[in-house]
Amino acid sequence: MAEPMGFYTDTTVCIGCKACEVACKEWNQLPSRNGGQTTLSGNSYDNTRALDGIHWRHVKFVEQFTDDRKDGRWLLMSDVCKHCVQAACLEVCPTGAIIRTEFDTVVIQSDACNGCRDCISACPFGVIDINPASGTAQKCTLCYDRLQAGMQPACSQACPTESIQFGTIRELKDRAQKRVAQLQQMGEKRAYLYGADEKMLGGLNSFYLLVDRPEVYNLPPDPQMPTRNLKLGSWFSVLGAVLVSLFGVINFRNRGAEERP
Amino acid sequence: MNTPPSSTFFSAPPDWSWLVVLYFFVGGLAGGCYFIAVMIDFLGRPTDRPLARLGYYISFPCIVLSGILLTLDLHRPLRFWHMLIESNTFQPMFKPWSPMSLGSWALTIFGLFSLIAFVSALSEEGRIDSPRARMWRPPAPVGAVISIIGGLLAFFVAGYTGVLLAVTNRPIWSDSPLLGMLFVISAASISASLMLLLAHRSRWTMPGVNALHRLDGWVVLLELIVLIAFLVSLGPVFRALVSAWGVLLLLGVIILGMGIPLALFWRRDLLGEHNVLGIAVLVLIGGFLLRLIIVFSAQGV
Ligand code: SF4
């Protein structure tokens, strides 16, 4: 296996230009929404709004302003599939369409997917959705086709500020930690890495440098694997079956003892 | 920004809709009617045989309908077989830790058991001429083995849907481990109710009807307790149900589908001869609404 590859996204240098979104759409030939007619969100410059089957990159615009709008800041973050080391989507996929590649990334094989949508509800980050053009679940492939050809993903290549950086996870973590230290030293004490260590789903192969709580960026503070409920849920179901059987035995055994309903 | 009560609030809804709600109901009936019929086969008197046959007669069409509903719900229905066979390698596709994968196999195999019981019931009634098929149900030894395996699969089919919802990252569904248990018990209550409804219509008076009626009462009580435990186990996520869905849950499921039927069990003279009918209809409505609310409420948050 090649070395694990991924993205490190430094949100502090993102300028919200959406070049990554455009590059992703172009390279992956993703259709436009609404037949190409512009629909505005009406409350933000963020008109993409969310990741879905035809938006595999989404630049989030977090607008933090005081009520009188005298003070404020923008938090910008280019969101994408996290290519989790322990991937919830891959875990539940019943068709085997979701695979882990030799680059330790997570890819949905569109020709195997039958559109059951189990992965959509399993992903803790709300990344996957159905692409209406294919009728299958789709998301970022971390440009698997480009990686196999020795190229870097379209989005990181297009990013003009190097907010999105591509490389081996080892190297990216190193770079990211240095950047956090630099920011801290400059007085940005809130800087930290989200998903870089193994505690979060074994590590996110697309991790972030953030300067506010995860939920401010619409990221889960504590994402979990869906199978956390499997054992206990199954045992409780067995208990339910045992209780129903027990009631059955009791009622059918002494049925002669009582009058008709 | 307010912190949501659970990290599950950052996931996306899968848009499982009416087809899935219907499947949860019909699949519950398929499993529930089968295991009740098996219980009657083992514990009932010879006069109760028509009641057991009724269970198998409901189970098989329901499991066929379940397969159709699930296939139609796929965005690529013609690829339904990818659930069982890996499309690239043509090897069996089986992931025991994925409830949807396990469930696909269970539905397929249970469908076979349900068909066997269906045919056996038909032959017992003389509707098809196959004396051998009569041995596929108890008390014949082969039939006993078939029924035990089929009964276990029936419980699985009735309950795995709840576990499937729990093994996601959606709010409500994955914030409690009790959904599978709730679905198993609810499958028993709706199945007993449907069987009673049909038995009542045919004016059957065998002792099994009485036993089934009492079983239904106990199961509805158990279901109410487990539903309350489920709501409590949601903890702070309960606030996601403070909505129109929550009101419907209280009025349609807890009061109409459980409270009133329990009152009718207790005061048998309340509706006179329509008592059994009233209970059965209300429990069926409650069971349907329960699935509807669980499916839709978690996708609206
Ligand atoms: S972020 Fe979601 S879609 Fe991407 S690998 Fe993780 S679980 Fe799968």
Side-chain angles (χ1 to χ4, degrees):
Chain A
M1 182 163 131
E3 235 195 299
M5 310 291 271
F7 293 126
Y8 149 51
T9 305
D10 179 354
T11 61
T12 62
V13 293
C14 177
I15 54 172
C17 70
K18 306 188 196 183
C20 52
E21 283 191 23
V22 176
C24 174
K25 278 218 165 216
E26 275 205 326
W27 178 260
N28 293 299
Q29 301 187 344
L30 297 177
S32 53
R33 182 165 42 205
N34 208 19
Q37 277 194 351
T38 319
T39 55
L40 302 178
S41 61
N43 57 10
S44 161
Y45 291 107
D46 175 8
N47 294 312
T48 309
R49 281 161 266 185
L51 289 173
D52 59 33
I54 55 172
H55 298 94
W56 299 354
R57 271 264 171 211
H58 165 222
V59 182
K60 289 178 179 172
F61 285 56
V62 182
E63 291 148 38
Q64 292 180 321
F65 286 92
T66 54
D67 283 342
D68 60 7
R69 298 192 74 80
K70 283 199 172 128
D71 192 17
R73 67 170 176 171
W74 296 85
L75 297 177
L76 301 161
M77 172 193 148
S78 180
D79 197 12
V80 73
C81 167
K82 316 297 178 290
H83 295 277
C84 317
V85 170
Q86 286 161 19
C89 57
L90 189 155
E91 186 177 50
V92 300
C93 174
T95 63
I98 306 186
I99 55 159
R100 183 168 298 286
T101 72
E102 65 272 35
F103 303 104
D104 203 19
T105 58
V106 178
V107 169
I108 305 178
Q109 307 172 96
S110 201
D111 61 337
C113 171
N114 64 11
C116 75
R117 317 193 289 295
D118 207 4
C119 57
I120 299 177
S121 59
C123 169
F125 303 97
V127 163
I128 310 180
D129 204 355
I130 294 289
N131 179 342
S134 63
T136 58
Q138 294 197 345
K139 66 167 190 75
C140 161
T141 66
L142 217 141
C143 283
Y144 188 34
D145 48 351
R146 291 171 66 104
L147 259 54
Q148 283 172 312
M151 297 158 73
Q152 68 163 311
C155 55
S156 57
Q157 182 159 20
C159 179
T161 64
E162 292 197 338
S163 170
I164 303 173
Q165 301 188 24
F166 167 76
T168 66
I169 295 297
R170 206 158 29 100
E171 183 194 358
L172 290 177
K173 275 188 187 166
D174 197 41
R175 220 182 288 168
Q177 271 143 11
K178 285 192 185 126
R179 172 69 177 154
V180 171
Q182 182 193 33
L183 283 169
Q184 300 256 0
Q185 208 181 14
M186 286 160 62
E188 181 49 280
K189 298 284 182 219
R190 291 168 295 190
Y192 71 101
L193 296 179
Y194 176 86
D197 72 35
E198 275 139 41
K199 269 184 250 141
M200 190 176 284
L201 303 174
L204 306 183
N205 281 348
S206 173
F207 61 91
Y208 294 83
L209 189 157
L210 306 178
V211 289
D212 209 326
R213 289 172 300 136
E215 48 273 42
V216 171
Y217 297 86
N218 206 16
L219 292 169
D222 182 25
Q224 300 279 336
M225 291 301 271
T227 40
R228 68 186 179 283
N229 289 321
L230 184 60
K231 253 197 204 141
L232 203 56
S234 304
W235 280 118
F236 273 119
S237 307
V238 171
L239 177 64
V242 169
L243 289 175
V244 169
S245 309
L246 211 66
F247 284 165
V249 172
I250 293 169
N251 283 295
F252 277 95
R253 281 273 147 160
N254 65 7
R255 67 196 177 289
E258 281 195 29
E259 79 279 20
R260 283 199 339 96
Chain B
M1 170 179 183
N2 290 332
T3 306
S6 156
S7 273
T8 54
F9 283 71
F10 298 86
S11 61
D15 287 332
W16 287 331
S17 184
W18 287 100
L19 289 173
V20 171
V21 175
L22 268 179
Y23 160 62
F24 281 4
F25 188 71
V26 174
L29 286 175
C33 287
Y34 186 99
F35 68 65
I36 290 175
V38 168
M39 242 183 266
I40 298 171
D41 263 351
F42 276 112
L43 302 169
R45 297 177 184 177
T47 45
D48 294 334
R49 297 290 281 188
L51 198 58
R53 285 200 299 268
L54 176 65
Y56 297 127
Y57 287 153
I58 301 172
S59 173
F60 181 62
C62 281
I63 201 71
V64 173
L65 184 58
S66 297
I68 296 171
L69 289 168
L70 283 177
T71 304
L72 288 179
D73 185 63
L74 299 174
H75 275 258
R76 299 292 297 260
L78 292 178
R79 296 184 179 177
F80 73 94
W81 58 274
H82 290 202
M83 296 285 192
L84 304 174
I85 308 284
E86 218 196 346
S87 55
N88 299 328
T89 59
F90 295 103
Q91 300 282 322
M93 182 65 226
F94 181 59
K95 277 183 172 179
W97 60 88
S98 163
M100 196 180 279
S101 174
L102 205 56
S104 305
W105 282 98
L107 278 177
T108 311
I109 300 170
F110 174 68
L112 209 68
F113 279 82
S114 188
L115 171 65
I116 291 172
F118 184 77
V119 172
S120 179
L122 282 176
S123 90
E124 186 176 77
E125 240 187 322
R127 294 198 194 201
I128 52 171
D129 186 24
S130 169
R132 194 181 299 163
R134 297 184 64 162
M135 310 310 270
W136 298 341
R137 275 173 61 199
V142 181
V145 174
I146 292 177
S147 292
I148 289 172
I149 302 172
L152 291 174
L153 282 165
F155 271 123
F156 185 93
V157 165
Y160 90 93
T161 44
V163 180
L164 186 151
L165 293 182
V167 180
T168 64
N169 260 312
R170 281 308 287 164
I172 304 174
W173 297 346
S174 65
D175 288 306
S176 163
L178 292 179
L179 263 188
M181 184 179 187
L182 184 61
F183 277 22
V184 170
I185 296 166
S186 172
S189 74
I190 57 173
S191 301
S193 295
L194 183 59
M195 288 171 69
L196 283 169
L197 195 70
L198 297 177
H200 183 77
R201 224 194 47 177
S202 306
R203 306 205 172 279
W204 285 351
T205 53
M206 62 280 261
V209 174
N210 187 19
L212 190 57
H213 179 70
R214 270 182 292 128
L215 171 67
D216 201 15
W218 283 108
V219 170
V220 171
L221 181 63
L222 182 63
E223 190 180 351
L224 178 62
I225 295 169
V226 174
L227 176 59
I228 292 169
F230 165 72
L231 295 175
V232 171
S233 71
L234 290 176
V237 177
F238 178 76
R239 85 173 192 221
L241 276 173
V242 182
S243 65
W245 293 117
V247 176
L248 189 59
L249 186 70
L250 179 67
L251 299 180
V253 180
I254 296 180
I255 296 180
L256 193 75
M258 297 176 180
I260 297 178
L262 283 173
L264 292 175
F265 276 115
W266 193 42
R267 294 283 310 276
R268 292 178 177 202
D269 50 344
L270 233 45
L271 288 183
E273 60 169 313
H274 299 302
N275 223 38
V276 178
L277 196 74
I279 293 170
V281 170
L282 291 178
V283 171
L284 281 165
I285 294 175
F288 183 77
L289 287 177
L290 174 72
R291 288 159 176 81
L292 178 101
I293 293 162
I294 287 180
V295 168
F296 281 108
S297 65
Q299 297 189 87
V301 284

